[in-house]
Amino acid sequence: KVTAGVSVNDMNLLEVSLKNQDFDFDELLDILASYRLKRRYHRLKDGTFVTLGEQQLGALADFVESAGIEKTGSETVELPLSKAMYIDALAREDEGLRLERSKKFKEVVRDIRNPADADVDVPESLKGVLRDYQVTGFAWLSMLSAYGLGGILADDMGLGKTLQVIAFLLAHRDAAAPPALVVAP
C-alpha cells in the first residue's frame, strides 16, 4: 500500500511525497518504471523480487506520470501550485489512489472550486452593477490571483467578461501595481 501526500509550502509550491513502509521514494519510482514497461517483476536494491500486479500499481503509476513526478534524490517533489486541481481530480477519479491532503491544499482546492463562497469585496463603484455570475467570475479571478495563478474567463459573448476583469483590476490596484491594459473588440 502506497500513500501519496500533498501539501503546499511557504513558496506556494506543491510538495508531493510517496510513502510506503517497505520502500523509499526512489525505489517506489523504480518499481513504477518497471510497471510502466509492463514487467511482471521488479528486482529491489537488496536483490529480492516484487510482483507487479495490475490492481496494485495502476492508479499510482497514472498519478506519478500525470503529475510529472520524477526522481530528485529527495523524499518529496516540488510541483507548481497550478497542478493542484489536476492532482485533486486524479485522486477523486481513482479510488485505488490514497491521497493525504494537507489543510492548506484542501483550502486552495476549495477556494478555486467554489469562488461563490469566497469573501471578496466588489469595488464600491460596481456594487449593484455586477450580476451574480459576474461576481462569481470576479471572485474566481481574485482567488487565482491570491495564489499566484492565472486563468481565462470564457463564456458566450456579451455576458460581461470585460466588466469582470475591470472589477478585478479596480479591486487589486494600488500604488505598486503595474499598469493594466484591457483589449476588447
Side-chain angles (χ1 to χ4, degrees), residues 85-146:
M85 300 303 290
Y86 183 65
I87 288 173
D88 187 65
L90 282 175
R92 288 176 190 270
E93 288 173 8
D94 200 328
E95 292 142 14
L97 177 63
R98 183 161 182 249
L99 184 65
E100 290 181 353
R101 301 164 179 93
S102 73
K103 182 177 180 180
K104 179 71 174 173
F105 179 82
K106 289 177 187 176
E107 181 181 306
V108 169
V109 170
R110 183 187 64 240
D111 288 348
I112 294 172
R113 193 171 291 217
N114 302 310
D117 297 337
D119 189 23
V120 292
D121 294 324
V122 174
E124 197 62 41
S125 60
L126 293 176
K127 284 189 177 172
V129 174
L130 294 179
R131 296 185 173 129
D132 288 343
Y133 67 89
Q134 292 170 327
V135 171
T136 300
F138 160 74
W140 181 71
L141 288 173
S142 296
M143 286 295 103
L144 291 177
S145 176

Side-chain angles (χ1 to χ4, degrees), residues 17-178:
S17 63
L18 300 177
K19 300 172 192 152
N20 178 278
Q21 63 187 20
D22 299 321
F23 309 114
D24 64 22
F25 184 77
D26 284 343
E27 188 143 48
L28 277 171
L29 292 181
D30 288 340
I31 292 169
L32 292 173
S34 293
Y35 174 79
R36 281 195 291 274
L37 293 172
K38 302 198 185 298
R39 295 186 179 152
R40 295 176 64 191
Y41 301 97
H42 174 80
R43 181 182 291 226
L44 300 174
K45 292 175 187 174
D46 65 5
T48 60
F49 288 89
V50 63
T51 304
L52 303 177
E54 188 70 33
Q55 72 285 357
Q56 297 169 323
L57 298 173
L60 186 60
D62 290 344
F63 173 76
V64 167
E65 185 174 339
S66 299
I69 297 172
E70 298 175 357
K71 278 187 181 184
T72 61
S74 171
E75 291 295 311
T76 61
V77 175
E78 289 183 341
L79 299 172
L81 187 62
S82 59
K83 291 197 176 210
M85 300 303 290
Y86 183 65
I87 288 173
D88 187 65
L90 282 175
R92 288 176 190 270
E93 288 173 8
D94 200 328
E95 292 142 14
L97 177 63
R98 183 161 182 249
L99 184 65
E100 290 181 353
R101 301 164 179 93
S102 73
K103 182 177 180 180
K104 179 71 174 173
F105 179 82
K106 289 177 187 176
E107 181 181 306
V108 169
V109 170
R110 183 187 64 240
D111 288 348
I112 294 172
R113 193 171 291 217
N114 302 310
D117 297 337
D119 189 23
V120 292
D121 294 324
V122 174
E124 197 62 41
S125 60
L126 293 176
K127 284 189 177 172
V129 174
L130 294 179
R131 296 185 173 129
D132 288 343
Y133 67 89
Q134 292 170 327
V135 171
T136 300
F138 160 74
W140 181 71
L141 288 173
S142 296
M143 286 295 103
L144 291 177
S145 176
Y147 293 115
L149 302 172
I152 298 173
L153 289 173
D155 58 21
D156 292 334
M157 198 166 122
L159 294 178
K161 292 176 290 298
T162 303
L163 184 58
Q164 292 171 62
V165 171
I166 290 170
F168 171 77
L169 293 173
L170 281 174
H172 296 89
R173 85 174 164 192
D174 59 16

